[in-house]
Amino acid sequence: VIMDFELPNVFIPPPADGPHPQVDLSEHSLPKFRVLFYQNVKNASSLRKKIIAQDPEIPDCVMINATMILDFLQIQLACFKSYIAQKNDNLKTRSLLSEILYNLSPSTSISDALRQFGLSDGLKSLIVVLLGSDSENNVTHKTSQLSKLIEGDISNLNDQPKIVDVPAIVKYFKLDERSITDREHALSLIVGAMALKGLA
């Protein structure tokens, strides 16, 4: 149920049926990220309020609107950019967690990124990203906390593509018509927009 990976070369999507490649960008290894997928969520509104209030019940994690994620490469790239920004003391937001949501968006508007990729009141499907190379005991503790907090069904990550809102993604990223039916083409445009954000 949990995807556990280290950051790959973010500009080369790993094959769907192969292992994630690993690269060292410095003498310090990049942290691991663990990903969980929830469906039929009933309390997105209260979760959102707890996040805004920085409720200590919420473990260190990022909760993402799962319908706006075409491929987990988006999350890997957002985590990569955010971690590098933190190391360079160049975060655009208040924390590494909010920076990941910010970097999922092609927009330089923080509020727009949080609105599109964060939790909304009626959200039914969400992705949770746990940060850091925690011990298995800590991971078990955090997932137990999440299970108590999230009123929904933890699901297999392979089911996530079934709930993706492709028209919404195409509209938000301003993609071409080919992107509606060509997933790889759409992903390449999305990754390009994310990687080039703020450079224009």
Side-chain angles (χ1 to χ4, degrees):
V1 176
I2 302 176
M3 176 187 284
D4 185 358
F5 59 88
E6 295 182 12
L7 287 172
N9 184 333
V10 293
F11 299 106
I12 304 176
D17 59 347
H20 294 283
Q22 299 178 8
V23 293
D24 290 324
L25 299 181
S26 69
E27 67 275 14
H28 303 291
S29 62
L30 293 167
K32 289 184 178 180
F33 298 89
R34 291 177 167 89
V35 181
L36 301 94
F37 173 49
Y38 287 84
Q39 295 190 87
N40 306 313
V41 176
K42 301 178 179 66
N43 64 329
S45 178
S46 64
L47 289 171
R48 180 173 175 272
K49 291 175 182 176
K50 286 178 181 290
I51 291 171
I52 293 173
Q54 297 182 326
D55 192 313
E57 288 186 357
I58 303 283
D60 286 342
C61 67
V62 185
M63 295 188 184
I64 301 169
N65 177 357
T67 67
M68 292 296 290
I69 301 300
L70 183 68
D71 189 278
F72 283 100
L73 181 64
Q74 291 170 252
I75 295 175
Q76 290 172 292
L77 175 56
C79 289
F80 171 86
K81 290 188 67 178
S82 301
Y83 180 71
I84 296 303
Q86 183 186 57
K87 289 190 69 174
N88 292 333
D89 196 24
N90 192 32
L91 292 176
K92 299 293 191 297
T93 65
R94 295 181 179 180
S95 72
L96 177 64
L97 302 177
S98 57
E99 193 80 4
I100 291 171
L101 287 175
Y102 171 70
N103 279 317
L104 282 169
S105 170
S107 170
T108 55
S109 167
I110 295 174
S111 60
D112 179 65
L114 298 182
R115 183 170 57 253
Q116 291 292 334
F117 292 94
L119 302 190
S120 58
D121 289 350
L123 190 66
K124 300 299 182 184
S125 301
L126 63 88
I127 291 169
V128 179
V129 180
L130 297 172
L131 306 182
S133 301
D134 287 339
S135 67
E136 288 305 315
N137 286 339
N138 284 341
V139 171
T140 300
H141 177 66
K142 286 183 177 180
T143 53
S144 177
Q145 282 181 287
L146 289 168
S147 295
K148 294 175 182 177
L149 287 167
I150 300 174
E151 297 176 10
D153 304 321
I154 190 165
S155 304
N156 193 301
L157 289 163
N158 292 329
D159 292 331
Q160 187 270 337
K162 299 174 185 177
I163 56 88
V164 173
D165 190 343
V166 174
I169 292 174
V170 168
K171 181 179 180 181
Y172 181 67
F173 281 89
K174 300 178 181 177
L175 306 181
D176 54 27
E177 290 187 6
R178 177 183 167 187
S179 299
I180 297 174
T181 56
D182 189 335
R183 182 179 177 280
E184 289 188 7
H185 174 71
L187 181 60
S188 67
L189 295 178
I190 290 169
V191 168
M194 290 171 61
L196 296 174
K197 177 166 81 171
L199 298 180

